[in-house]
Amino acid sequence: MRHDTVEGSGLYAGASVSSVEYSLLPAEESAARISRLQEAVREEGLDGFLLTQNTDIYYLTGTMQTGYCFIPAEGEAVLYVRRSAERAREEAHIRTEELGAFREFGAKLAAGLATAVPPDRKRLIGTPLDVLPAQTYLKLADLLEPAGAVLADASPVMRQLRMIKSSWEIARITQAAQAAAEALAEALNDLKEGVSELDWMARYEYEIRKRGHIGLMRMRAYNQEVITGMVGAGEAAAVPSYFDGPAGGKGLGSAAPQSVSRRLFRRNEPILLDVGCCIDGYIIDQTRTAVMGELPEELLRAYGVTERIMRQTEKLLQPGIIAEKPYQEALHMAEQEGLADHFMGCGADRVRFLGHGIGLEVDEWPVLAKGFTMPLRAGMVIAVEPKFTFPGAGVVGIENTYVIQEEGPPLALTQSPEQLIVLP
Amino acid sequence: MRHDTVEGSGLYAGASVSSVEYSLLPAEESAARISRLQEAVREEGLDGFLLTQNTDIYYLTGTMQTGYCFIPAEGEAVLYVRRSAERAREEAHIRTEELGAFREFGAKLAAGLATAVPPDRKRLIGTPLDVLPAQTYLKLADLLEPAGAVLADASPVMRQLRMIKSSWEIARITQAAQAAAEALAEALNDLKEGVSELDWMARYEYEIRKRGHIGLMRMRAYNQEVITGMVGAGEAAAVPSYFDGPAGGKGLGSAAPQSVSRRLFRRNEPILLDVGCCIDGYIIDQTRTAVMGELPEELLRAYGVTERIMRQTEKLLQPGIIAEKPYQEALHMAEQEGLADHFMGCGADRVRFLGHGIGLEVDEWPVLAKGFTMPLRAGMVIAVEPKFTFPGAGVVGIENTYVIQEEGPPLALTQSPEQLIVLP
């Protein structure tokens, strides 16, 4: 059996010292995921499923090597590897084959399709079209046509599958949360008047990287990027942004228009610390608000509202509650406080959600948003981030990541103390 | 006129201290690029061009806010902004409009198409399908059908346009090269026996981040990611990888299967330092090889071959030379030295190129690769990276980034001294 961590074995041999660790996905995780996907494939009336994106392929097989993973409705899943075949063989928990010439890949897929499909209908292959580039989509569609197969957008199937986290996944997110909390505590020693957002972020990122942060955080949506989060002081946090969150940050320039800027920290202004960490591919998202001195009165009051929204949301993060409900309640609370136009951004640039699923990607399902009508379920991991934006003055808020339990209140995975960080 | 850097003006007001700098694309850059694109659009017989990807949109307009940029074959380009419209108005050098309902966007595009198109033929809109997700492609195709317009893959048009760098772009890459060189010099003080690749990389990344590294490097190809490069000691550098380069590195686990591992540095082994930097969106790529003590004889000999390949390549990086030629000559030199099977990776996992274009993305055109038959031109910026891989022992090599000049040898943008770094 494969171990969670290998030390200098197989392909990674040659350095059998205990410091050499390489995290692998346990075989049981892969097997359970494939089984759940095949159930979903049959329920959707699909004949098979094709994975093309690195994160989806890793989720199912345990390797992120490039290629295509085909899962028939019944039978054995196969990973057709472009590169590196050697490494994929070592890491994947399913059979691997070299992809070879793209032209012949169609014939292999046709052979892999369930033979039970009646000849009088097209074979339907689900695949997440939210991430597959159109150029490759058109090539695959051409390839499958002679086999009587067509591609159907099955993005929601994959997103729903990944929505429910196993205890192994929750342990990974907790590990990232621990590293983020330690790094934040260290870096807070350097949060001082006259230090720039950029310099402070460099310090924070150094602390998470040493603890195993993989150096990037993945996002699924087209054109969305996340660095390690954002740090925003005063008005720099409140600059509107393309980033799909309540506060993207000003950034360093129009080619890096989010996260930190060169703005210096000052006294008596909110400093938003929305910084996470990614270990073993799994991401924690958390936000704390800091101030050197005192927050302006209106912002302090708004911060208090984010605390109350968080307490109310915790009551609602239970199996069976509809995902949009916590957002609606939070919006209602903001309205009652006369803060609706500052809630989750400002004016036209507000976002219409309170929280989002998180795991291998920052923007997973479910979203606590209007129109998201699926019921919450145990095992969902959700980052909840009530925030208020005041143009010219700053952003205040909190973000905690929770896992929904079978019964009772959700479990907070975030490890940093929640309260407003008041520095001298 | 817009300045290269603004200090606390307009949208970014409220902090009029000199430390607040935000880099913008000069208006002349945007105008020249639009003009060149429109020429290409007409040459290709297209009626217009649609940009959808953040980097492409930034390249042309000066803003990276989300939405769609439409450039008719003749006439005014428009950016239809999803979010943030306010910020796009501030940054873009072309007219911006709010995107509004997606349904109505089709009508807006139809109106934007040249009226000169005869009614008896389809209007052809070029767009880079190498990056556009299929889900959005299918929606756009539906939207355009009533307007009698179809989307055509025009990825090569965009890649060719971005291939030739202006002096403003070359200054940006040089700035990144300067930061990388300073950071490398600093971090080399900590390259010691018993330090891990991960810890050293954390140190290096801290140094580039403080100097304005934007926190990520962009890659265009599907499923390819780059962190800040890779650092690989001994056999860890030689582990095969999905990464489209000669040495991806072992990584921290199967969910982060490239770049640094937790392997400790030892004496008398090659340590590959393939680390860059991204400032104002523009990337420098460079590689140096270090050793504490002495390289094993075979690896030292191979390192000498990479130096000779570099000198030979410099002679070939001139306007008019076919892009595949430097690769073929380098491969020939490797063959003559009996090192062909170690050149640019090992065995089945070798890559078939010697260098690649670089700019806003790591993987730009041209590629110095077999089959890449376009002639080199002045203004192309190319990272040349001859490397030899010895499984179990390590990787040696060099990478310099050059700009091709109108006449004479190319100009090296890389600032770090090239020679083998020998530490005590």
Side-chain angles (χ1 to χ4, degrees), chain B residues 111-158:
Chain B
L113 279 168
T115 49
V117 178
D120 59 342
R121 73 160 178 87
K122 288 272 183 198
R123 286 158 171 179
L124 267 181
I125 301 182
T127 190
L129 294 187
D130 60 338
V131 287
L132 179 66
Q135 200 177 68
T136 311
Y137 164 76
L138 295 171
K139 276 190 208 166
L140 283 168
D142 270 358
L143 203 64
L144 290 167
E145 212 207 335
V150 291
L151 292 170
D153 189 10
S155 314
V157 173
M158 198 61 203

Side-chain angles (χ1 to χ4, degrees), chain A residues 83 87 153 225 243 250, chain B residues 83 87 135 243 250:
Chain A
R83 187 162 179 271
R87 191 147 171 178
D153 188 11
E225 298 170 332
F243 182 73
K250 178 180 157 185
Chain B
R83 187 163 179 270
R87 190 148 171 176
Q135 200 177 68
F243 182 74
K250 179 180 156 185

Side-chain angles (χ1 to χ4, degrees), chain B residues 158-204:
Chain B
M158 198 61 203
R159 303 198 76 167
Q160 285 178 41
L161 183 72
R162 286 182 38 191
M163 204 163 62
I164 308 297
K165 271 72 178 178
S166 68
S167 57
W168 183 85
E169 292 183 285
I170 290 162
R172 298 281 131 348
I173 299 173
T174 305
Q175 171 182 267
Q178 188 59 41
E182 288 172 18
L184 179 60
E186 282 290 331
L188 279 177
N189 294 322
D190 287 334
L191 203 161
K192 290 178 180 149
E193 200 176 350
V195 171
S196 74
E197 292 171 5
L198 175 63
D199 278 345
W200 190 85
M201 186 63 120
R203 175 86 169 81
Y204 175 83

